Amino acid sequence: MVVKIYRSARSLTKKVCDVKKQGKTIGLVPTMGFLHEGHMSLIRRAREDTDCVMVSIFVNPAQFGPKEDFKKYPRDFKRDFSLCEKENVDIVFAPKVEEMYPENYATYINVEKITDTLCGASRPGHFRGVATVVAKLFNITMPDIAYFGQKDIQQAVVIKKMAEDLNMSVRIKAMPIVREKDGLAMSSRNIYLNLEERMQAQSIYKSLKLAKELFDSGERDSGKIINKMRKVIDKQSEAKIDYIKIVDTKGLKDMKKISDEAFVAAAVWVGKTRLIDNIILRQRPK
Ligand code: PAF
């Protein structure tokens, strides 16, 4: 099957209207490219669930801070495109920055409160950029279902909230984290790590697994769990914790005592690379 590439929002929306007229459902996988197995799992799920699978590839400048890695963010369109071909993607939307943000562009979406914590606190403006571009992608592609990875757990929560608050008729599916053999969560940014950093980065998932073990054996005091996690990561010379937090799964508020369910979320600098990961703690039904 031939994958069609669209660069223009208007022509893609025209195509979307034709697809809808045929009664077909649309699955959207928004990405910034440099696709990995995590993305592939979303694409495969979209292929299973929907008739027409669209993948957007757009490194969105609005979600990067002025000192962040927008310029050096890895890009390889040819490789991404052939991966999409292999997975029978129907349409790739790969707009230029000017297509998404023409001169005098002025409209942004701000999801309040849940963006004040975790990555939102460390990366001011990040979720404003994410929510804005995702809303634009939803308007352009009118998906029935859109797929996001749980690695970016706050992003998934923010997008669900935006879709709910703005009455967007799209279902948001957050899909499980895909990990490397050594446990490191898949991320396009893993390419920045050298061998030593790559080894040290394993401590992030080790610490999350420790949190789960502690929870499963009855510990409910977040402070105690976080302290033990810190010790695992602090042993690594190249690792510097940005945050480790235990928060409720809806409002992302800090939980001192964990009740039935919580996210443990961590952001850690390993050398010059900021990595994020998380795990869900859930009480087993009695
Ligand atoms: O998760 C990402 O790759 C990006 O934040 C997204 C959702 C494609 C928006 O640019």
Side-chain angles (χ1 to χ4, degrees):
M1 197 179 59
V2 185
V3 186
K4 276 216 75 171
I5 303 178
Y6 284 80
R7 303 270 182 198
S8 135
R10 188 182 290 229
S11 49
L12 178 54
T13 302
K14 237 175 113 200
K15 170 75 183 169
V16 166
C17 291
D18 291 344
V19 172
K20 297 241 170 215
K21 263 190 211 146
Q22 292 167 33
K24 290 185 177 166
T25 53
I26 295 173
L28 173 69
V29 181
T31 82
M32 297 207 297
F34 211 68
L35 304 180
H36 52 67
E37 268 306 304
H39 297 115
M40 292 304 130
S41 72
L42 307 182
I43 294 173
R44 286 179 200 130
R45 185 56 194 261
R47 187 72 283 162
E48 270 172 44
D49 290 350
T50 60
D51 302 317
C52 179
V53 176
M54 301 192 187
V55 174
S56 63
I57 298 178
F58 178 63
V59 186
N60 172 33
Q63 69 189 74
F64 289 79
K67 290 192 179 135
E68 293 184 351
D69 56 344
F70 172 68
K71 278 209 176 115
K72 77 164 196 183
Y73 193 85
R75 293 160 169 91
D76 190 342
F77 184 74
K78 257 191 169 166
R79 185 176 152 275
D80 289 344
F81 184 73
S82 66
L83 287 170
C84 287
E85 258 179 337
K86 272 195 203 132
E87 296 301 333
N88 286 324
V89 167
D90 297 284
I91 288 172
V92 166
F93 179 47
K96 291 236 159 70
V97 172
E98 308 79 72
E99 179 68 12
M100 295 299 272
Y101 302 109
E103 230 184 295
N104 296 326
Y105 185 86
T107 306
Y108 292 87
I109 292 183
N110 204 17
V111 180
E112 294 181 355
K113 294 190 187 105
I114 51 174
T115 55
D116 293 341
T117 181
L118 305 171
C119 289
S122 305
R123 302 182 66 189
H126 170 66
F127 287 113
R128 174 183 185 257
V130 170
T132 301
V133 82
V134 171
K136 285 172 70 72
L137 291 168
F138 286 175
N139 284 337
I140 295 164
T141 63
M142 297 180 241
D144 295 274
I145 313 179
Y147 298 82
F148 296 87
Q150 270 172 11
K151 184 182 75 75
D152 300 289
I153 191 64
Q154 187 174 18
Q155 169 171 284
V157 172
V158 167
I159 288 164
K160 272 188 189 159
K161 185 82 183 113
M162 170 185 81
E164 185 189 316
D165 286 355
L166 296 182
N167 307 90
M168 294 171 163
S169 56
V170 53
R171 255 176 78 198
I172 308 299
K173 278 199 183 174
M175 303 299 297
I177 299 176
V178 179
R179 298 185 178 280
E180 302 284 355
K181 278 201 187 94
D182 61 12
L184 183 65
M186 294 226 177
S187 162
S188 305
R189 288 189 169 98
N190 291 351
I191 187 112
Y192 298 152
L193 301 169
N194 65 31
L195 226 63
E196 177 57 31
E197 291 167 347
R198 179 58 208 267
M199 291 279 289
Q200 297 201 14
Q202 292 173 24
S203 63
I204 305 170
Y205 185 48
K206 266 192 204 147
S207 74
L208 291 167
K209 279 197 301 190
L210 174 65
K212 183 159 167 22
E213 274 163 37
L214 291 164
F215 178 80
D216 288 343
S217 57
E219 184 61 81
R220 293 292 181 270
D221 184 319
S222 297
K224 283 188 184 157
I225 295 178
I226 291 171
N227 278 342
K228 289 189 175 147
M229 291 177 68
R230 282 187 171 275
K231 282 188 187 143
V232 175
I233 295 172
D234 285 342
K235 273 192 206 137
Q236 310 300 320
S237 57
E238 295 301 314
K240 199 169 153 276
I241 296 167
D242 175 359
Y243 66 72
I244 300 178
K245 276 179 178 280
I246 299 186
V247 297
D248 78 275
T249 55
K250 302 240 157 41
L252 304 183
K253 289 213 183 77
D254 285 354
M255 290 178 104
K256 277 198 174 127
K257 282 265 177 280
I258 311 168
S259 50
D260 299 351
E261 198 178 78
F263 289 130
V264 187
V268 178
W269 286 95
V270 182
K272 290 201 168 97
T273 308
R274 185 175 176 280
L275 300 172
I276 58 171
D277 201 347
N278 67 81
I279 205 163
I280 187 156
L281 305 180
R282 194 174 275 141
Q283 188 141 330
R284 285 196 207 108
K286 282 177 197 142

